[in-house]
Each structure stands twice: as C-alpha cells, then as structure tokens.
Amino acid sequence: MRQLVISCVIGAIILFSFLSNWHGLLIVTLLLLLLGAILHKLGKGIVLLEVTAILYVFTCLVMPLVGYRYYVYNNTLARLYGKYMPVNEETYFNFALPAIAAFCLAITLPSFKRKLPDTGLVIQEKLTALKQQLNGTPGKGLQIMIVGVLVSVLAKFLPASLSYFAVLLFFSSFAGLLYIHFTPAFRFKKLVTVLFVLFIMWNALQSGMFTIVAYMGITIFSFFQVGAKTSMLKKIFLMLVGIVFFLVLQNVKTVYRKQTLQTSYQGNKVELFSNLFSSNLQKGSSLLSQNALFPIYSRTNQGYNVALVMRRMPRVQPYDNGERLLTVLASAFVPRFLWSDKPESGGKFNMEYYAGYRIKGWSTNVGTLGEAYGSFGPTGGILYMVLLGLFLRWVYLKVFILSARIPLLICWLPLLFYDTTSSSETDTLQIINSIIKSAFFIWLLVKIMPQWFGLQKKNQVSRVISKPALHA
C-alpha cells in the first residue's frame, strides 16, 4: 500500500511538471519522497533500486537546481570554470524533471500480481532459506572472499584481456562478505568484516578511486540492516553521517589524487588521507558555503552535461532517432573478436557525438539522460527513461525469481548492479555491458563452482543416485 502511494505521488509530480513551472518544489518533494522510502525500507528490505533512483534525482535534478539558484554566470567560480548551466532553467527542467521522475516511477513500481520480493516477510523467508543453505558450510563465504582479495592483489600482473574478469572476481568478495554475514555458524564475523573493510579502504587509497567505497557500501549496508530493529531516529542519524562523509570525501579526494597520483608521492598514503579528511571535517558548517560546495557541485552535476546536449541538439545536430543507441544495444550482445570496431562504453565518444566536446586526460559522460534527449528529443527521451527504469526493475526482480531455486543468488546482487547504481553518470552501453557480463560471470561460476551456490556437482549427484543401486 505504501509503495502504491509513493507511485501515485511520483505520478502527480510528473503531471505537475508538465502543467506548472514549480521546478524547485517538485524536485524537493521527489527527493524527500525517495529519502523517506529508503529510510522506511531500511531494515525491512533491500534499497538498491531506491538508491539508484535517488542518485538520478541528485545528479540530474538537485545539482542542476543548485546551479540555477547559486552557480549562475555572475558567480565567480562558475564563470571561471564555465560550470554555469548552458541552457535556461525552463528548457532544462521541462525535459529533465518529467524524464527523471518517470524513471523513478518505473524503477520503483509496485508489483500488482504479488508482493515485492525484496521487503517484508517475503525477503525474510528468502533469507531464512539462504541461511539454511549456508549453515552447513560455514567456510564458503570466506573462500569466496579470499579468492576475490587475492585476485585484486595479483590483478596488476594479469594481461589486459583478463582485467575485467579479475574485477568481477574481486567484486565476488562482496558476495562472500554477505555469505559470512548470513551464516549463523560462522565465528569471528565482526573481525573478518572489519579486516575486509580495512582492505577495501586501503585498496581505494592506493588507487585513488573511492567509487567502490560509496556505491558498494550503500548496497551492502542495506543487506546488513535487513531484520535489524532500528528506530527512525537512528536511521536519520546514520543518513546524516553518510551525507557528511560524502561531502567531506568529495572535497578530499581531488586534493588526495593530485598529491598521490600526479606526483611521485613517497609518503604514507593512509596518513595523508586521514589528515586531509580530518582537516576538512573540522571545517564544520563552512563545508556548506558556496565556495566549499562548488567542487561537489561541479563533480556531481550530471545535468550540466545533459544541458550541453540540449544546447547542441537539434540546433546544430538533429536528433538521431536512436541510431547510436541501436548500435550500442547490438554491440552489447556481440563479442569484440566478431566486431573489432564495435562501440566502447565511456564518455569520450558520447561527449563528442552528443555534446560536441572532445575530452582528453579526464573522464565524463552525457549519461543516459543525455543519450535519451540526443536520440529522441523531449517526448521520446522521457519514454526512453521509462523503458530504462522498467528494464532495470525487470533484471532486479528476475534475480529474485531465480532465487526460488538458488537462494544464494540474492547475495550476488551487489556485483550484478554495481555499475547500474551510479548509471546516471555513465551510459546505456556500460549498463547493458555490465549486466550481461556480470550475469554471464555468475552463470559461469554456477557451472564451475556450484558448491558456492549451494548446488551439487553433477558427478556428485550421479554418485548419490547410484548408491542405492549398489546396495540392491
């Protein structure tokens, strides 16, 4: 019932986005609605789809709204770095607001045939079945985790052709962590969890990439909270701590990368990061000043790239009616050895094709919203975002359908949806590629290591079947 009410409110937001110019009010309402949905569901279910939706809202609606309100042409920093929104507010939100709201409606749509499988009694029943499978083999999760950690350490010695496979094996360690968490008979859960978190942080400090800490951390946290009786006040407090951590991390990581990756830094990276984080945290409320928030606005305003597309199309270049996206979808299903020049995911081509910008030495993308507008224009772009949301929801629910036979598949959701969680900043090809490759990887593991999924090898099954015949 609650989910139906949320969907109705989002539907009303879509309607009013067409009938009014209350952009700020509607965006804040959508943001608070999704925040409320996440807080309510936290402890009762998995919030992966809701987190994906709210990240679209934050990067494509909230940050552009901040740009239109504060970082306008007259703002010194916005003018200096050219980060003021390149189209007027009315033009941008007349497309972006209904498109993102429609995406949120599609991806969080309630199930009318049966109860949603990721919340309430349904998820509790699935986790009970999962725990029963794990209880007989308490070391299974640790095996997966060790394999993932070892592969991540040895990844730099592997050939480039195996790099993505190595990444997927590393991500498998998060499934191993969930196995450990849900295994009743596993001893030293807290110790192993703390050591694994420390390793992830150390790995992030060495590479200067903190994306995995943020996005994988959110999903894993929601798994850990399922069944926990946490008060709403504590949930709000945890959410505020997470927001503060995000703000400080965004300010720290740029300086950290400059000092460690762009120079031959020989010092202690852990100490450097700790000092930078601590000094930024001590700034307190000054973190919310316009100057302090500008780096965060600049890095998380995906709407800026979308607006570049809107400025270019169809004035300079006509909408391509999905020609590029059709090629992208085809390439996702064809191996590179059969299609040597097939499209590659990433922003280099998309920024030039859709926005008319050539980028070198750094990475950015027009995002799925930019692709939608550049391909089909406003009306078709909104429909495309609806279809994208429905597709992601279908893949997500498909995992739960398959979990009726293999309950442990639920623990592999973070691996399957890692790139999708932050897909507002990537592109359709990366989403499809990620899901297909991850799904194939999991299928391959089921065949090679069925015991990791609570299944028996075929030769074991045949031996079990043949034993009665031997005694006959």
Side-chain angles (χ1 to χ4, degrees):
M1 183 65 183
R2 181 182 292 270
Q3 192 63 39
L4 183 60
V5 171
I6 291 172
S7 296
C8 289
V9 175
I10 297 178
I13 290 172
I14 296 170
L15 179 63
F16 280 107
S17 70
F18 290 118
L19 301 177
S20 73
N21 61 351
W22 306 339
H23 306 137
L25 177 62
L26 294 175
I27 290 169
V28 170
T29 302
L30 182 59
L31 178 69
L32 293 177
L33 184 71
L34 290 172
L35 277 174
I38 290 171
L39 288 172
H40 174 76
K41 195 174 180 181
L42 200 61
K44 300 181 178 69
I46 302 166
V47 297
L48 194 152
L49 293 183
E50 289 80 4
V51 167
T52 303
I54 205 169
L55 286 173
Y56 270 83
V57 171
F58 179 75
T59 57
C60 297
L61 294 179
V62 175
M63 284 296 102
L65 183 65
V66 170
Y68 284 117
R69 295 293 181 271
Y70 301 103
Y71 300 108
V72 294
Y73 181 78
N74 292 333
N75 180 274
T76 305
L77 287 173
R79 188 169 66 252
L80 177 64
Y81 291 98
K83 284 295 184 178
Y84 50 88
M85 294 295 287
V87 298
N88 66 63
E89 181 177 345
E90 197 80 13
T91 300
Y92 180 79
F93 285 125
N94 281 350
F95 164 67
L97 180 52
I100 294 299
F103 171 83
C104 294
L105 175 63
I107 199 173
T108 61
L109 201 66
S111 176
F112 297 101
K113 290 185 179 180
R114 59 180 73 88
K115 292 182 179 179
L116 285 173
D118 66 343
T119 188
L121 290 175
V122 183
I123 189 65
Q124 291 291 351
E125 290 171 0
K126 288 186 175 295
L127 292 180
T128 299
L130 183 153
K131 290 175 183 178
Q132 288 174 350
Q133 277 197 335
L134 289 170
N135 204 31
T137 52
K140 191 180 299 180
L142 189 60
Q143 291 174 15
I144 299 171
M145 182 185 288
I146 290 172
V147 170
V149 169
L150 286 176
V151 167
S152 71
V153 173
L154 299 173
K156 59 183 178 182
F157 302 108
L158 297 175
S161 58
L162 295 176
S163 61
Y164 193 79
F165 182 77
V167 169
L168 290 175
L169 273 174
F170 170 52
F171 287 169
S172 299
S173 59
F174 289 90
L177 178 65
L178 291 178
Y179 276 31
I180 290 171
H181 175 72
F182 289 120
T183 303
F186 190 89
R187 300 174 64 187
F188 311 114
K189 282 186 186 181
K190 291 183 179 179
L191 176 62
V192 173
T193 301
V194 169
L195 290 174
F196 181 72
V197 171
L198 290 175
F199 171 77
I200 295 299
M201 289 299 300
W202 176 85
N203 201 41
L205 290 173
Q206 300 309 306
S207 64
M209 301 299 293
F210 299 91
T211 308
I212 193 170
V213 175
Y215 296 132
M216 196 68 88
I218 294 170
T219 306
I220 297 295
F221 178 74
S222 75
F223 272 92
F224 273 45
Q225 287 295 301
V226 175
K229 295 181 179 179
T230 309
S231 66
M232 182 58 70
L233 190 63
K234 187 176 180 180
K235 290 179 185 179
I236 294 172
F237 172 75
L238 291 172
M239 181 192 70
L240 292 175
V241 170
I243 292 172
V244 171
F245 176 81
F246 173 79
L247 291 174
V248 176
L249 181 63
Q250 288 295 323
N251 275 324
V252 165
K253 67 181 186 181
T254 302
V255 179
Y256 177 81
R257 285 173 184 168
K258 285 181 179 178
Q259 293 193 31
T260 57
L261 301 180
Q262 297 179 12
T263 62
S264 54
Y265 185 77
Q266 300 297 324
N268 189 314
K269 291 183 179 180
V270 176
E271 184 179 354
L272 172 64
F273 181 83
S274 300
N275 291 337
L276 289 171
F277 195 92
S278 176
S279 62
N280 273 270
L281 192 61
Q282 290 173 9
K283 293 178 182 178
S285 59
S286 62
L287 282 171
L288 300 177
S289 66
Q290 277 195 38
N291 287 350
L293 279 175
F294 181 78
I296 298 171
Y297 159 78
S298 180
R299 284 192 294 272
T300 60
N301 182 13
Q302 183 60 34
Y304 173 79
N305 288 353
V306 178
L308 290 176
V309 179
M310 298 175 73
R311 185 177 66 179
R312 176 179 172 80
M313 294 176 148
R315 184 176 61 87
V316 177
Q317 178 179 323
Y319 306 125
D320 74 356
N321 297 315
E323 182 181 337
R324 161 70 180 172
L325 285 176
L326 188 62
T327 306
V328 159
L329 289 173
S331 71
F333 295 92
V334 181
R336 188 162 294 279
F337 71 87
L338 294 176
W339 187 352
S340 58
D341 60 341
K342 78 172 188 174
E344 294 185 3
S345 59
K348 189 174 182 180
F349 178 88
N350 280 352
M351 285 299 293
E352 184 173 358
Y353 180 79
Y354 290 106
Y357 270 74
R358 291 186 179 183
I359 58 174
K360 188 177 181 180
W362 57 294
S363 178
T364 189
N365 207 326
V366 300
T368 50
L369 188 63
E371 287 179 312
Y373 184 88
S375 298
F376 307 109
T379 305
I382 294 170
L383 178 60
Y384 178 80
M385 294 304 295
V386 171
L387 294 176
L388 178 63
L390 289 174
F391 169 72
L392 295 180
R393 178 181 179 274
W394 175 80
V395 174
Y396 179 76
L397 294 180
K398 192 69 176 176
V399 175
F400 285 94
I401 293 172
L402 294 173
S403 71
R405 188 173 68 88
I406 310 175
L408 291 174
L409 277 179
I410 295 173
C411 293
W412 296 81
L413 276 169
L415 183 152
L416 185 64
F417 275 85
Y418 171 68
D419 277 331
T420 303
T421 307
S422 59
S423 59
S424 62
E425 301 175 2
T426 57
D427 53 51
T428 303
L429 180 57
Q430 186 162 336
I431 294 172
I432 303 297
N433 259 343
S434 162
I435 289 175
I436 290 176
K437 289 179 179 178
S438 299
F440 177 75
F441 173 77
I442 294 169
W443 175 84
L444 205 61
L445 283 182
V446 171
K447 297 298 180 182
I448 297 173
M449 301 292 292
Q451 62 271 25
W452 281 5
F453 297 84
L455 303 173
Q456 289 184 319
K457 289 185 177 180
K458 287 185 179 180
N459 57 350
Q460 290 177 326
V461 175
S462 62
R463 284 199 298 268
V464 171
I465 294 173
S466 62
K467 279 182 181 179
L470 294 173
H471 291 290

